[in-house]
Amino acid sequence: MRALAHVSDLHIGRDEATDEAARQLCAALLAADLDAVLLTGDVTHRGRTAELRRFRELFRPLLATGRVLLVPGNHDRMGDDVRRAFMDGERVAVARLPGLHAIRVDSTAPHNRSLVTGHGRLTAGDLARVERAVAEAAPGALVAVMLHHHVMPLPEEDLAERLASFFGWPFADELRLGAALLARLRGRCDLVLHGHRHVASGAAIGEARRPLRVLNAGSSTALRQVRVLEHEAGEVVRVQWLALPGEHAPALAPAVA
Ligand SMILES: [Fe+2]
Ligand SMILES: [Fe+2]
């Protein structure tokens, strides 16, 4: 049995409580002895080099295991633009860990310089690259696509997002090619893992034979909990939440979790 954790939206540097939650999260993930930790962007709060340095300090023991996979989020493109610390210019990259075929997708874009231009970008070329990367998976591996932005419409979470939707600005929208991505992945992929929206959510689409779980981790430091997925021979066998001690926000755990 293998296990992976899905972590997102740490927002290191937002405040002391956030950084402390990240430190506790790192300790909990290490203690859980996972095969992989998939971190789907917004690692830093303002894309500052100092925040990146802080993340590397806080997560050093976990990063040292070589089991952490990362993609950038829109917040990582602000300030000093630290995206290249997570993906070095490529839009799609494959990572293989025991039992896992992960496809890392950079859904950020140069317009992600401010809070109101945080929406993502996915191109037809990205979709073609993802499709090729999925086809490279070894039989029996769990296939996971990880990216920052949401691929399906999700409810607005705050006033700024409600206003953006009201005025028709793209800021709160899902990825324009999100549905097209899911159509290509159905039946050939097991997980789409994302963040960006800070309230966790989950859905399963496609056939019962090989369901495609689309999971939003939410903000792991704000929720103080992360999903852990146990899998075997390419199938998810159990999904549960790993919670930090003390107060934590409800993670919203629907049936699919
Ligand atoms: Fe975020
Ligand atoms: Fe984001």
Side-chain angles (χ1 to χ4, degrees), residues 160-175:
E161 290 179 351
R162 280 194 287 277
L163 280 175
S165 295
F166 180 78
F167 287 114
W169 300 332
F171 157 58
D173 289 354
E174 74 279 13
L175 287 165

Side-chain angles (χ1 to χ4, degrees), residues 9 42 74-75 148 196:
D9 293 72
D42 281 0
N74 56 298
H75 278 249
H148 180 62
H196 190 51

Side-chain angles (χ1 to χ4, degrees), residues 23-246:
R23 191 190 60 75
Q24 292 176 22
L25 201 55
C26 178
L29 292 167
L30 264 181
D33 192 24
L34 301 154
D35 300 286
V37 174
L38 277 54
L39 211 171
T40 51
D42 281 0
V43 174
T44 63
H45 190 51
R46 299 274 176 181
R48 302 238 158 92
T49 307
E51 293 170 340
L52 175 64
R53 209 177 302 127
R54 182 94 177 111
F55 161 69
R56 285 174 169 160
E57 280 165 23
L58 291 166
F59 264 62
R60 180 171 294 136
L62 197 59
L63 292 170
T65 64
R67 298 177 185 181
V68 182
L69 304 179
L70 294 139
V71 296
N74 56 298
H75 278 249
D76 302 312
R77 303 295 308 259
M78 295 164 62
D80 302 317
D81 190 351
V82 297
R83 170 185 65 133
R84 283 186 180 270
F86 308 122
M87 287 184 81
D88 193 18
E90 71 273 54
R91 298 277 301 169
V92 176
V94 170
R96 292 181 183 84
L97 287 173
L100 176 69
H101 183 85
I103 296 139
R104 298 158 58 226
V105 179
D106 180 356
S107 63
T108 70
H111 65 248
N112 292 149
R113 296 296 296 161
S114 75
L115 289 176
V116 292
T117 55
H119 53 286
R121 179 181 292 165
L122 200 60
T123 66
D126 295 335
L127 291 197
R129 283 182 209 107
V130 170
E131 202 163 18
R132 280 198 295 275
V134 167
E136 290 171 14
L142 190 77
V143 180
V145 168
M146 51 187 290
L147 75 177
H148 180 62
H149 291 87
H150 50 305
V151 290
M152 299 196 297
L154 289 173
E156 291 90 10
E157 291 175 5
D158 56 33
L159 181 63
E161 290 179 351
R162 280 194 287 277
L163 280 175
S165 295
F166 180 78
F167 287 114
W169 300 332
F171 157 58
D173 289 354
E174 74 279 13
L175 287 165
R176 207 168 42 80
L177 292 184
L181 174 70
L182 294 178
R184 295 207 192 185
L185 295 178
R186 280 169 85 135
R188 309 164 64 199
C189 177
D190 305 290
L191 299 171
V192 173
L193 303 178
H194 69 84
H196 190 51
R197 289 301 183 83
H198 287 189
V199 176
S201 59
I205 59 174
E207 315 134 38
R209 188 183 57 80
R210 190 170 188 180
L212 175 60
R213 287 176 167 85
V214 182
L215 303 180
N216 172 18
S219 170
S220 305
T221 44
L223 296 171
R224 297 178 59 78
Q225 51 193 325
V226 295
R227 273 193 190 87
V228 172
L229 293 95
E230 291 177 2
H231 58 100
E232 195 162 29
E235 278 187 37
V236 173
V237 292
R238 193 151 72 125
V239 182
Q240 54 190 332
W241 287 91
L242 171 67
L244 296 178

